[in-house]
Amino acid sequence: MATPGDVHITLEEKAISLLLRSPRLDVTTIVDLLDVGDREFRDMARRNPTICDLLEARRSGKLEPPTSEPTQCRACAEWFVPYGASKFCSDACRTAGRINEGPCSRQV
């Protein structure tokens, strides 16, 4: 069991800190999604500076939604705005890209 002075971050704390970055999700939804109790969440916020800073940014209105820059699909070369770290514009292009990047695609 971790003591308050430990820098040990639990999986729930990491997930909460990632979800708190999205201003589209309210704190109640995040806590409910991860099935974390109010008391446990308050304890996490006290011991984890990232969670504390994100909560403060939310309260002050300084939390901005993440932005994505358009990128070119690796399979079809069309431009699209990626979700996360997506390299392909669609499932079909992802499948085609995996086939093209497979072990048999190397030039000898």
Side-chain angles (χ1 to χ4, degrees):
M1 179 155 181
T3 61
D6 287 347
V7 185
H8 179 74
I9 297 175
T10 65
L11 182 61
E12 288 87 6
E13 287 179 53
K14 183 66 177 170
I16 286 172
S17 65
L18 291 172
L19 291 170
L20 283 173
R21 294 171 195 246
S22 173
R24 295 182 185 110
L25 291 173
D26 60 76
V27 176
T28 305
T29 301
I30 294 169
V31 170
D32 289 343
L33 280 172
L34 296 174
D35 197 27
V36 174
D38 290 339
R39 184 177 190 178
E40 185 180 357
F41 180 72
R42 285 192 301 271
D43 289 343
M44 284 182 199
R46 272 189 228 113
R47 72 174 174 259
N48 187 318
T50 303
I51 292 174
C52 183
D53 293 343
L54 287 166
L55 288 171
E56 184 55 39
R58 285 171 158 266
R59 278 187 214 112
S60 64
K62 294 180 182 176
L63 186 66
E64 295 187 22
T67 59
S68 295
E69 295 295 321
T71 188
Q72 205 166 13
C73 178
R74 289 189 179 181
C76 70
E78 289 291 322
W79 286 91
F80 72 104
V81 178
Y83 179 78
S86 178
K87 298 172 185 153
F88 303 101
C89 65
S90 66
D91 290 341
C93 282
R94 185 183 70 228
T95 302
R98 286 182 178 168
I99 292 169
N100 291 337
E101 293 174 356
C104 297
S105 66
R106 293 188 205 135
Q107 297 291 336
V108 181

